[in-house]
Amino acid sequence: MHPHRRPRRNRKSPALRDMVEETRLSVKDMIFPMFLIEGQNKSEEVKSMPGIYRYSQDLLLKEIEVCMKLGIRTFCIFPSISEDKKDSMATESWNPNSLYNTTLAKIKTLFPESCVMTDVAMDPYSSDGHDGIVRDGRIINDDTLEVLGKMALAQARTGIDIIGPSDMMDGRVGYIRQILDEEGYSDVSIMAYTAKYASAFYGPFRDALDSAPKFGDKKTYQMDPANKREALIEADLDYSEGADFMMVKPALAYLDVISLLKDNYELPITAYNVSGEYAMIKAAAEKGWLDGEKAMLETLLSIKRSGANAILTYFAKEFALLQK
Ligand code: PBG
């Protein structure tokens, strides 16, 4: 008995394996999330994210320059806000002179060829630590839209390329799109966090920004991990409200959702390989339980293979360094 068809023949050498490779990673696919803090000449490693730092503006700009030289062009910046600037309406989020907005402007002035994505959500600025306005323990959707609109407009005025609403309020993509268009920013893109799940994998990110909810959880606005068809409802809305990209977040536990959106929509699909996914690999690698580099590459490949066009990942720089 000799098998007639032998899949192993296509695996017999590196040259052949490379030739039949269906998915390839490139630094061009990657968006690098970075954390901004107040102060000068400060870089603090996030304890639960070895290799990832919170940078003051001066060092963030230097780090972006280093990354650009490695071929990373797209950056997503998140601000860490001191407690004294937080309030229930996230007022600091639409302050044109905030550290965040002035930093965005500087990045675009110094590195005009970079592509800068922002975060739109109240949680880093909110004394409640929630993504929406809180009243009597509830998240008030439609009043929150006004805050998100002001925040997005202030960001657009800095010259950034992509607005990233990560808040999961209903109607926010359309609301932000309309304000941007009315104010003359029809070229600014929106990357909607379309299927964002109420996930345990955001823990290290909340450490990095001190943005954990002060009470309760985010289950009334972020999606239930049990649900997949509901992602199609969110996607329909974001599509019709004018999103330019649709994101699935987290990535690893939701590869089926990435694939579902890819099969059903023509818009580019992005995936957020979140902080907890990064931390898991780093922790296991530090213990010597996994080969961290191989696990990173396999993880990123799986996300792309499932249908993501681009990946927000804390591994972007490490990946870029490997290519050199
Ligand atoms: C909040 C926001 C979160 C992340 C990005 N934007 C956390 C949350 O929803 O609580 C998480 C990203 C990560 O874990 O890497 N608007």
Side-chain angles (χ1 to χ4, degrees), residues 250-288:
L252 267 192
Y254 301 88
L255 296 179
D256 56 334
V257 181
I258 297 175
S259 158
L260 180 74
L261 294 196
K262 181 69 167 193
D263 289 345
N264 284 281
Y265 292 88
E266 281 73 43
L267 286 179
I269 306 297
T270 58
Y272 201 144
N273 177 213
V274 298
S275 58
E277 299 173 329
Y278 177 87
M280 280 196 302
I281 291 181
K282 286 293 173 191
E286 272 182 7
K287 281 189 173 276

Side-chain angles (χ1 to χ4, degrees), residues 283-301:
E286 272 182 7
K287 281 189 173 276
W289 292 351
L290 275 183
D291 179 326
E293 193 177 298
K294 286 191 179 137
M296 162 183 81
L297 292 173
E298 191 173 330
T299 296
L300 294 171
L301 256 188

Side-chain angles (χ1 to χ4, degrees), residues 227-262:
N227 296 356
K228 171 163 146 175
R229 293 170 64 244
E230 193 182 338
L232 291 172
I233 300 179
E234 289 286 359
D236 258 356
L237 287 168
D238 288 351
Y239 183 86
S240 63
E241 290 176 31
D244 301 285
F245 309 82
M246 299 205 272
M247 189 203 294
V248 175
K249 175 185 177 186
L252 267 192
Y254 301 88
L255 296 179
D256 56 334
V257 181
I258 297 175
S259 158
L260 180 74
L261 294 196
K262 181 69 167 193

Side-chain angles (χ1 to χ4, degrees), residues 184-242:
Y185 296 99
S186 53
D187 281 347
V188 173
S189 314
I190 297 180
M191 186 181 292
Y193 286 60
T194 294
K196 175 171 177 176
Y197 287 88
S199 171
F201 291 100
Y202 306 148
F205 175 96
R206 294 177 188 171
D207 293 343
L209 295 190
D210 298 315
S211 64
K214 300 277 163 61
F215 70 90
D217 52 41
K218 298 191 172 187
K219 289 182 185 168
T220 67
Y221 44 105
Q222 299 180 350
M223 286 175 59
D224 182 340
N227 296 356
K228 171 163 146 175
R229 293 170 64 244
E230 193 182 338
L232 291 172
I233 300 179
E234 289 286 359
D236 258 356
L237 287 168
D238 288 351
Y239 183 86
S240 63
E241 290 176 31

Side-chain angles (χ1 to χ4, degrees), residues 306-318:
S306 71
N309 299 85
I311 309 171
L312 284 105
T313 178
Y314 301 97
F315 286 119
K317 185 178 176 193
E318 198 174 329

Side-chain angles (χ1 to χ4, degrees), residues 32-44:
F32 193 21
M34 300 177 91
F35 302 122
L36 170 70
I37 49 170
E38 286 177 0
Q40 266 213 316
N41 199 24
K42 268 169 86 181
S43 81
E44 306 168 353

